[in-house]
């Protein structure tokens, strides 16, 4: 993998890239960075794709603009569109996990001509997530999103004990022992400890909750591009029922549920995820 930087949409983004061929953009989630795709980048590149995986704004060594408004969804989607243009391409396959999946949904709706194919891993469609937040089951799973609306306290708690809570999550959330190695955990800690990174990551949640959901829903549009959803069915943060009704919003939909796999799907079941992504990319 090769490191590079691009100033797009007013922010400097660090990214890694590998391979040549049709463009595939990999978007990480919280609290990760491009490294979360370490199992996918070389495999996709070897299969004949040009792969780029950015540290999204606020993360790792990318710029960390101040203020919650900088992390509104329209800015995050615009970053992806601008990064695609920066590569010299007009369109790409966009793949996202967790928050990266939310941004992938938003990019596909805002820039449909630029998203040739869409793949989302354990990230609900925003319309279905808004619906689910009215249910006690999903509210309980999403309690941390409401906690993140507080000032400074979430940062203090996550940072305490050298990110002890994050380390515990990465060790115990996945159902496959050793999903995250000691080196993996150290690298996630290092990225999140960079000045401003933790606050920027939490600003994603703050920005999401500060927008009127009725206003946001006006941006929801049915999607026509081929779409693959990969879903680890043992996700402790997102209920599998979030997939119900997805075909109303996606016209060319393929859903693959991975039994016994947690939220951290591309790290816990990399071989299965890689096989599904390659099959999807090669399907005409």
């Amino acid at each position: 993998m090769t490191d590079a930087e691009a100033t797009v949409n007013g922010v400097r983004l660090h990214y890694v890239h590998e391979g040549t061929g049709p463009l595939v953009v990999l978007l990480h989630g919280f609290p990760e960075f491009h490294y979360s795709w370490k199992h996918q980048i070389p495999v996709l590149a070897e299969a004949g794709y040009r792969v780029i995986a950015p540290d999204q704004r606020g993360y790792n060594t990318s710029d960390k603009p101040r203020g919650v408004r900088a992390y509104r969804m329209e800015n995050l989607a615009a970053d992806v569109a601008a990064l695609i243009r920066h590569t010299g391409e007009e369109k790409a396959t966009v793949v996202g996990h967790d928050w990266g999946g939310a941004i992938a949904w938003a990019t596909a709706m805002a820039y449909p001509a630029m998203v040739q194919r869409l793949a989302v891993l354990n990230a609900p469609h925003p319309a279905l997530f808004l619906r689910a937040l009215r249910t006690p089951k999903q509210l309980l799973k999403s309690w941390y999103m409401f906690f993140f609306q507080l000032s400074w306290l979430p940062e203090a708690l996550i940072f305490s004990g050298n990110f002890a809570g994050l380390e515990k999550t990465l060790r115990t959330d996945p159902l496959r022992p050793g999903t995250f190695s000691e080196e993996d955990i150290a690298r996630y800690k290092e990225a999140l400890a960079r000045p401003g990174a933790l606050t920027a990551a939490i600003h994603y949640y703050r920005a999401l909750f500060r927008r009127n959901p009725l206003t946001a829903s006006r941006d929801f549009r049915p999607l026509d591009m081929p779409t693959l959803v990969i879903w680890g069915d043992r996700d402790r943060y997102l209920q599998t029922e979030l997939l119900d009704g997805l075909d109303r919003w996606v016209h060319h939909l393929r859903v693959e549920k991975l039994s016994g796999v947690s939220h951290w799907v591309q790290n816990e079941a990399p071989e299965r995820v890689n096989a599904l992504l390659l099959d999807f990319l090669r399907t005409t």
Side-chain angles (χ1 to χ4, degrees):
M1 285 180 284
T2 302
D3 291 277
E5 291 185 349
T7 299
V8 295
N9 194 32
V11 294
R12 180 189 51 81
L13 299 182
H14 167 262
Y15 64 96
V16 297
H17 63 97
E18 185 174 348
T20 59
L23 182 63
V24 178
V25 180
L26 304 176
L27 304 176
H28 67 81
F30 172 89
E32 304 167 297
F33 64 113
H34 74 267
Y35 184 75
S36 70
W37 297 106
K38 67 172 186 172
H39 298 295
Q40 284 70 47
I41 294 171
V43 172
L44 295 176
E46 178 67 24
Y49 296 93
R50 179 186 181 188
V51 185
I52 63 173
D55 295 330
Q56 299 191 77
R57 65 166 63 194
Y59 279 92
N60 197 33
T61 60
S62 290
D63 277 352
K64 300 163 181 63
R66 293 181 178 273
V68 173
R69 289 182 60 87
Y71 299 89
R72 292 177 64 165
M73 189 62 76
E74 56 264 37
N75 293 325
L76 306 175
D79 287 352
V80 179
L83 187 59
I84 293 172
R85 295 189 193 101
H86 172 79
T87 68
E89 301 291 343
E90 297 181 355
K91 59 181 61 178
T93 293
V94 178
V95 182
H97 167 251
D98 183 73
W99 253 105
I103 297 167
W105 285 121
T107 304
M109 286 187 280
Y111 305 94
M114 300 187 71
V115 180
Q116 188 171 18
R117 291 174 179 264
L118 174 67
V120 176
L121 287 64
N122 280 71
H125 188 281
L128 303 181
F129 188 60
L130 285 175
R131 183 187 69 184
L133 280 177
R134 303 188 188 105
T135 67
K137 182 177 180 181
Q138 187 57 53
L139 277 172
L140 285 172
K141 287 178 175 287
S142 300
W143 67 269
Y144 64 94
M145 299 178 70
F146 298 93
F147 173 66
F148 283 173
Q149 303 311 305
L150 300 175
S151 299
W152 71 264
L153 185 57
E155 286 93 327
L157 182 63
I158 295 173
F159 184 75
S160 65
N162 187 26
F163 297 99
L166 170 63
E167 181 171 347
K168 181 180 178 181
T169 295
L170 295 178
R171 290 189 189 281
T172 62
D173 259 15
L175 301 179
R176 179 173 65 85
T179 292
F180 294 104
S181 68
E182 296 293 335
E183 180 185 358
D184 295 340
I185 293 171
R187 294 193 64 169
Y188 283 125
K189 285 183 178 182
E190 179 185 21
L192 208 57
R194 295 183 184 277
L198 180 55
T199 291
I202 296 175
H203 277 350
Y204 278 58
Y205 293 93
R206 291 170 176 151
L208 182 67
F209 274 61
R210 293 186 189 183
R211 187 173 185 192
N212 186 322
L214 294 177
T215 302
S217 65
R218 295 177 192 148
D219 296 332
F220 300 161
R221 299 178 178 86
L223 299 177
D224 288 320
M225 72 281 296
T227 300
L228 169 67
V229 173
I230 301 173
W231 197 274
D233 70 353
R234 297 289 295 278
D235 191 320
R236 62 178 292 195
Y237 309 102
L238 300 167
Q239 56 182 320
T240 304
E241 289 84 350
L242 285 163
L243 298 173
D244 296 344
L246 183 54
D247 54 353
R248 293 178 51 196
W249 292 97
V250 184
H251 295 155
H252 303 285
L253 175 65
R254 173 181 171 187
V255 176
E256 297 286 349
K257 297 179 185 178
L258 301 190
S259 178
V261 179
S262 76
H263 177 76
W264 312 92
V265 58
Q266 79 268 31
N267 287 287
E268 187 172 349
E271 294 84 4
R272 294 162 72 184
V273 168
N274 292 348
L276 289 169
L277 288 175
L278 287 173
D279 181 67
F280 174 65
L281 288 167
R282 293 165 173 165
T283 302
T284 57

